[in-house]
Amino acid sequence: MSGTTVGHPVRLPPADKLRDMNADRSHLAGSDRILRTDARRNRERIVRAAREVFTARGIDAPLAAVARRAGVGVATLHRRFPTRDQLVAEAFGEQFGACTHALEKAIDDPDPWRGLSALVHTVFALQAGDRGYTQAFLDRHPHTADSSKLDEAEHALRALVDRCRAAGVVRRDVTAADVTLAFLANAGLVARGSVPRSASARLAGQLLRAFAVSDDSPLPPPPSLPLRPLLSETVRSAGPDPVLRRR
């Protein structure tokens, strides 16, 4: 078969050759789609495995453990996430998003005390529900998030507490740093795996009551926290006394 341009004949490949060429192109396109699908699934498995491993063992857990749970090689994990911070940010992206949304909602609430109370309860609940998120929230996240967004979040929190003071609903000496301190206190509580989630809700209520000028709202019910098991856990986590080891 042939065609012509202006003054020049153009030879076209035979029809069967054209069919083969089109089939080859279709096969390559199909292979590319399969590769993209496999890459996406690998990424999803890695993120899911990272969330599970970090929740169970903390965000400093070996990345090899994440790779094993995801069913991929360590090299594949590093190609998808070159740094641990990137993996942490991706694994807990939903929780970080929920925290950001809670802050935005608190700022938009016309009642600043209601907004602050809802924010504290939401963040406490997120911390209590996920050990890995708690550690990431207070440790890694500042290094993985956009610094400008962190600045915006700090400014928003200060503005919210300022509104509470201006409305006369919190003590005059309460600052945004006190709210951050509350998050730190809850993180320490959550780090003890034996403490029930209800203890976190109770702590939120107590701290908010301490912030308020007057707050007679009922607290969540007290958790069961017998002293002996907690002290035993503290001793076990501290390890044997070095003086006793020398005897």
Side-chain angles (χ1 to χ4, degrees):
M1 183 185 303
S2 64
T4 61
T5 59
V6 180
H8 297 283
V10 177
R11 292 189 174 276
L12 299 177
D16 56 347
K17 183 66 173 178
L18 283 173
R19 283 195 298 271
D20 290 342
M21 292 170 62
N22 290 332
D24 288 342
R25 283 195 291 268
S26 298
H27 176 73
L28 290 173
S31 298
D32 288 343
R33 283 195 297 271
I34 292 172
L35 288 173
R36 287 195 296 270
T37 300
D38 288 344
R40 186 181 69 252
R41 288 175 178 168
N42 280 344
R43 182 184 179 87
E44 291 171 353
R45 284 199 297 267
I46 291 170
V47 171
R48 183 167 55 250
R51 189 180 306 117
E52 293 169 355
V53 171
F54 291 156
T55 295
R57 301 172 60 176
I59 60 174
D60 291 317
L63 295 184
V66 175
R68 281 195 302 271
R69 183 176 286 263
V72 302
V74 175
T76 298
L77 185 150
H78 282 295
R79 279 198 302 273
R80 300 287 180 267
F81 300 97
T83 70
R84 181 184 293 268
D85 286 343
Q86 289 174 343
L87 181 57
V88 168
E90 187 69 22
F92 297 109
E94 183 177 341
Q95 289 90 333
F96 289 140
C99 185
T100 300
H101 177 69
L103 178 56
E104 293 171 348
K105 192 173 179 181
I107 289 294
D108 291 338
D109 196 317
D111 182 336
W113 173 250
R114 184 174 58 196
L116 178 63
S117 299
L119 174 65
V120 170
H121 281 294
T122 298
V123 174
F124 270 45
L126 286 168
Q127 290 178 309
D130 201 322
R131 173 188 171 193
Y133 168 71
T134 300
Q135 191 179 0
F137 177 84
L138 295 169
D139 181 16
R140 299 279 182 179
H141 188 43
H143 305 293
T144 58
D146 185 332
S147 60
S148 63
K149 291 182 179 179
L150 288 175
D151 291 341
E152 291 173 5
E154 290 178 357
H155 176 75
L157 182 58
R158 285 196 299 270
L160 177 61
V161 175
D162 288 346
R163 285 176 57 210
C164 286
R165 280 201 309 272
V169 294
V170 299
R171 295 163 50 100
R172 287 182 297 176
D173 56 355
V174 171
T175 70
D178 293 307
V179 180
T180 302
L181 185 60
F183 297 151
L184 286 168
N186 190 53
L189 179 66
V190 169
R192 306 182 65 90
S194 62
V195 175
R197 291 189 184 186
S198 58
S200 184
R202 179 81 173 187
L203 179 62
Q206 292 283 21
L207 291 174
L208 285 168
R209 180 174 285 183
F211 293 165
V213 170
S214 61
D215 181 11
D216 296 326
S217 59
L219 290 171
S224 175
L225 292 175
L227 188 57
R228 186 180 298 277
L230 293 177
L231 290 176
S232 298
E233 182 181 336
T234 300
V235 171
R236 285 197 304 272
S237 63
D241 189 292
V243 175
L244 294 177
R245 287 202 301 267
R246 290 197 294 269
R247 292 180 180 176

